[in-house]
């Protein structure tokens, strides 16, 4: 007869409640992170968002920023985060609760307000404070002491005339320290893969919705018939397995005419002018969509400057990446830098840009933070243009990659250079690993926020999470 273990479920009334009854482990990651966060700085930033004592009592800055931090750290939705906080005493400890409570800490809708309380620049300021409090940021002084000792010996043996010149050269060399790793990536938004037919159909539907809002009553039968014609034209392309270019162009022309007719209703003398800022902005977007699509349809082209690919998020642009898995991504593009394992966002834009243009600014910011230029910069080949190479040479910065000019004749020297290039290519993988970490663990593979400001804040909070866990 085998051994049987008694699996009696403990009663909820037998389990202790409250922080006084629940043993909080000091080595828990959320307890450690709570001691590393610059809560005083967060409170100073958060307090500037309120004007006087009017209105309801505001939630604490620790709760507001901590909720954003936990959402990205756990990579969950707003509703799931509320439930996790309600169930986990360590998460409540991180948010500053005085005792454990099984009630909902706050309503899910407040998460959108928390995201609006901070800006991307303020989150970056908080990230720098987290790094400054971390002892791992302090560089070792072994190399400096060695340089000082060697400089002293050379000063004793050299004449006084050459001592000043030697010390000035040593000072120039000692000003550079550390390694700056640069790269760029795209952070996709949560939108449908854009097609011209779908975009035009959604524009017609959006125009009809705002027409109802402006008129204050349902649309007429004629307008419903127009909407049905737009739907038939869209479905005839989207539901068909094979479409010829002539069929696609025909339906696209129909949708363009219908969209123009929808926008014409707002210019009618009998029509009340839209007063809602949201409706006014939407009509500007729909007019721009019509103009762009009509120009591409008329000229038979597939590209246009500042092309709109989403009706609900008109600031999103197609970003050509040239990757093997996906050639074009739709979202924001960010330039990153990594120093000692800490990743920072150097540049952010919804428009496509050449990341090589951010190298000099990143090096200057590195000098502002550390007091010296980096000893070397590791980056892609796209960063190795003439301007960047000249800048690195003038600042005594060594950049990875082959040296300009002919390779050396000595095979041993060539082998050493090749080995150094391979080693630096391996060191540069750190920034690639950080990009993968952010996209796989912290939600940078698909941004669910719907506005420009909250999107940028969410990306910066994701970097705050990576910086904080690096310091554990």
């Amino acid at each position: 007869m085998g051994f049987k273990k008694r699996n009696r479920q403990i009663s909820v009334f037998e389990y202790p409640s409250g922080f006084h009854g629940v043993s909080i482990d000091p080595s828990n990651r959320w307890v450690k992170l709570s001691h590393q966060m610059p809560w005083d700085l967060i409170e100073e930033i958060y307090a500037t968002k309120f004007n006087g004592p009017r209105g309801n009592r505001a939630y604490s800055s620790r709760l507001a920023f901590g909720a954003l931090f936990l959402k990205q750290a756990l990579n969950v939705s707003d509703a799931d985060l509320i439930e996790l906080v309600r169930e986990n005493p360590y998460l409540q400890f991180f948010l500053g609760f005085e005792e454990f409570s099984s009630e909902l800490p706050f309503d899910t809708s407040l998460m959108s307000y928390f995201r609006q309380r901070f800006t991307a620049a303020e989150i970056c300021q908080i990230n720098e404070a987290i790094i400054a409090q971390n002892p791992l940021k302090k560089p070792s002084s072994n190399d400096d002491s060695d340089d000082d000792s060697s400089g002293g010996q050379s000063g004793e043996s050299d004449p006084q005339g050459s001592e000043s010149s030697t010390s000035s050269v040593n000072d120039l060399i000692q000003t550079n320290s550390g390694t700056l790793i640069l790269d760029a990536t795209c952070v996709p938004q949560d939108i449908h893969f854009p097609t011209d037919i779908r975009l035009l159909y959604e524009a017609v539907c959006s125009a009809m919705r705002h027409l109802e809002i402006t008129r204050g009553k349902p649309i007429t039968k004629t307008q419903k018939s127009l909407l049905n014609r737009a739907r038939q034209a869209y479905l005839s392309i989207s539901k068909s397995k094979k479409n010829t270019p002539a069929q696609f162009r025909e339906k696209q022309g129909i949708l363009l005419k219908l969209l123009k007719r929808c926008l014409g209703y707002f210019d009618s003398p009998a029509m009340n002018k839209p007063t809602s800022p949201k409706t006014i902005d939407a009509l500007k977007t729909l007019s721009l969509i019509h103009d762009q699509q009509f120009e591409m349809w008329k000229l038979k082209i597939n590209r246009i400057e500042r092309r709109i690919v989403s009706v609900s998020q008109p600031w999103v642009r197609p970003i050509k990446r040239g990757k093997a898995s996906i050639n074009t991504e739709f979202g924001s593009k960010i330039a990153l830098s990594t120093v000692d394992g800490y990743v920072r966002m150097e540049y952010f834009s919804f428009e496509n840009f050449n990341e090589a243009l951010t190298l000099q600014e990143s090096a200057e910011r590195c000098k502002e933070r550390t007091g010296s230029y980096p000893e070397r910069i590791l980056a892609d080949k796209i960063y190795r243009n003439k301007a960047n190479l000249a800048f690195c040479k003038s600042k005594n910065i060594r950049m990875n990659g082959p040296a300009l000019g002919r390779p050396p004749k000595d095979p041993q020297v060539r082998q050493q250079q090749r080995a150094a290039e391979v080693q630096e290519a391996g060191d540069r993988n750190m920034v690639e690993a950080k990009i993968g970490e952010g996209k796989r663990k912290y939600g940078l593979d698909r941004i669910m926020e719907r506005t420009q400001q909250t999107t940028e804040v969410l990306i910066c909070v994701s970097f705050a999470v990576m910086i904080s866990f690096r310091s554990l």
Side-chain angles (χ1 to χ4, degrees):
M1 183 176 180
F3 173 76
K4 289 187 177 181
K5 184 179 179 180
R6 185 181 181 187
N7 294 319
R8 186 182 73 85
Q9 173 65 46
I10 186 173
S11 172
V12 294
F13 301 104
E14 300 174 6
Y15 194 81
S17 62
F19 286 148
H20 301 288
V22 178
S23 177
I24 298 297
D25 184 9
S27 63
N28 183 270
R29 56 175 179 166
W30 302 115
V31 177
K32 291 181 178 180
L33 288 175
S34 66
H35 298 316
Q36 294 180 0
M37 302 300 294
W39 298 118
D40 294 337
L41 175 61
I42 295 173
E43 175 62 29
E44 293 178 4
I45 295 174
Y46 189 72
T48 60
K49 309 298 179 179
F50 302 95
N51 298 323
R54 295 182 178 180
N56 296 331
R57 182 179 180 182
Y59 287 88
S60 67
S61 61
R62 181 163 181 170
L63 178 64
F65 181 81
L68 300 180
F69 186 93
L70 291 177
K71 171 180 166 57
Q72 294 306 117
L74 301 174
N75 194 15
V76 294
S77 64
D78 294 346
D80 290 339
L81 173 65
I82 306 302
E83 293 296 331
L84 289 175
V85 172
R86 187 172 67 89
E87 299 165 357
N88 195 322
Y90 286 102
L91 299 185
Q92 295 189 15
F93 181 86
F94 179 80
L95 295 178
F97 285 39
E98 296 182 355
E99 61 179 359
F100 178 76
S101 174
S102 60
E103 298 180 358
L104 292 176
F106 51 87
D107 190 73
T108 309
S109 61
L110 288 176
M111 289 294 295
S112 62
Y113 291 97
F114 291 161
R115 283 187 282 268
Q116 297 172 12
R117 297 298 184 187
F118 299 92
T119 63
E122 293 168 348
I123 300 296
C124 291
Q125 183 181 357
I126 295 171
N127 295 350
E128 293 297 331
I130 297 174
I131 297 176
Q133 293 179 2
N134 189 342
L136 292 178
K137 181 179 179 294
K138 298 179 181 179
S140 61
S141 58
N142 296 334
D143 298 337
D144 296 339
S145 60
D146 295 340
D147 293 339
D148 294 339
S149 61
S150 62
Q153 293 176 359
S154 62
E156 293 176 0
S157 59
D158 293 343
Q160 294 182 356
S162 61
E163 181 178 344
S164 59
S165 61
T166 304
S167 61
S168 61
V169 173
N170 289 336
D171 293 340
L172 178 62
I173 296 176
Q174 292 173 11
T175 54
N176 294 10
S177 63
T179 300
L180 178 65
I181 310 176
L182 302 177
D183 202 359
T185 187
C186 181
V187 183
Q189 293 286 129
D190 182 46
I191 63 172
H192 287 289
F193 186 86
T195 61
D196 295 335
I197 293 294
R198 184 185 185 93
L199 183 65
L200 288 172
Y201 173 66
E202 290 180 350
V204 172
C205 295
S206 177
M208 286 300 178
R209 286 195 299 269
H210 287 285
L211 185 62
E212 286 186 337
I213 295 173
T214 304
R215 296 179 65 221
K217 55 184 178 180
I219 58 178
T220 62
K221 292 183 178 181
T222 303
Q223 294 164 351
K224 286 183 180 180
S225 175
L226 186 149
L227 189 60
N228 291 334
R229 288 175 58 193
R231 180 172 177 80
Q232 291 175 2
Y234 165 68
L235 292 179
S236 64
I237 296 296
S238 62
K239 296 297 183 180
S240 177
K241 294 182 179 180
K242 294 183 180 180
N243 294 302
T244 63
Q247 292 174 338
F248 186 87
R249 181 173 172 81
E250 177 189 358
K251 302 303 180 182
Q252 188 177 4
I254 294 174
L255 288 171
L256 282 169
K257 293 179 181 179
L258 295 177
L259 177 58
K260 184 178 181 180
R261 187 174 174 183
C262 291
L263 295 175
Y265 286 122
F266 293 91
D267 297 331
S268 175
M271 180 71 183
N272 295 328
K273 296 297 181 182
T275 57
S276 171
K278 185 176 181 181
T279 301
I280 295 174
D281 293 340
L283 292 178
K284 292 180 181 179
T285 300
L286 297 178
S287 299
L288 186 56
I289 289 175
H290 175 270
D291 296 341
Q292 289 182 351
Q293 292 293 323
F294 180 76
E295 184 176 355
M296 289 191 295
W297 178 80
K298 182 180 179 180
L299 301 179
K300 298 182 180 180
I301 57 177
N302 296 325
R303 294 184 181 180
I304 195 169
E305 186 179 358
R306 298 179 59 84
R307 180 179 179 180
I308 297 178
V309 295
S310 175
V311 175
S312 59
Q313 302 181 52
W315 51 85
V316 176
R317 299 285 181 265
I319 307 295
K320 278 283 186 180
R321 298 291 294 158
K323 301 295 183 180
S325 58
I326 182 170
N327 189 32
T328 305
E329 295 181 90
F330 304 93
S332 59
K333 187 176 181 180
I334 55 177
L336 309 177
S337 69
T338 304
V339 178
D340 297 331
Y342 295 110
V343 60
R344 295 177 173 89
M345 185 176 69
E346 297 289 345
Y347 189 77
F348 174 94
S349 177
F350 281 102
E351 302 289 341
N352 202 352
F353 62 89
N354 186 355
E355 54 263 35
L357 302 178
T358 64
L359 182 141
Q360 299 182 24
E361 295 181 1
S362 300
E364 294 293 345
R365 293 193 192 98
C366 182
K367 182 183 178 182
E368 293 177 2
R369 292 191 296 260
T370 62
S372 64
Y373 287 106
E375 180 182 356
R376 61 174 183 168
I377 292 180
L378 306 181
D380 270 334
K381 291 182 180 180
I382 192 174
Y383 289 86
R384 290 178 54 83
N385 55 35
K386 291 183 179 180
N388 289 340
L389 291 174
F391 172 82
C392 292
K393 184 177 181 180
S394 64
K395 303 301 182 182
N396 197 28
I397 302 173
R398 182 166 57 87
M399 195 172 182
N400 67 314
L404 297 178
R406 295 180 179 179
K409 295 181 179 180
D410 190 349
Q412 186 175 0
V413 176
R414 289 201 305 268
Q415 185 177 1
Q416 292 176 355
Q417 290 183 354
R418 178 57 182 167
E421 291 175 12
V422 172
Q423 177 63 34
E424 289 176 341
D427 296 340
R428 201 190 69 82
N429 286 337
M430 179 180 293
V431 68
E432 300 285 356
K434 288 298 180 181
I435 292 174
E437 179 184 355
K439 291 192 175 184
R440 290 180 178 270
K441 292 188 61 177
Y442 304 126
L444 293 183
D445 58 335
R446 177 176 291 184
I447 303 299
M448 307 299 293
E449 271 56 36
R450 311 298 294 178
T451 65
Q452 291 178 277
Q453 188 261 344
T454 56
T455 295
E456 193 170 357
V457 167
L458 181 143
I459 293 174
C460 293
V461 173
S462 299
F463 291 134
V465 173
M466 287 188 280
I467 290 171
S468 301
F469 278 106
R470 164 66 178 165
S471 63
L472 287 180

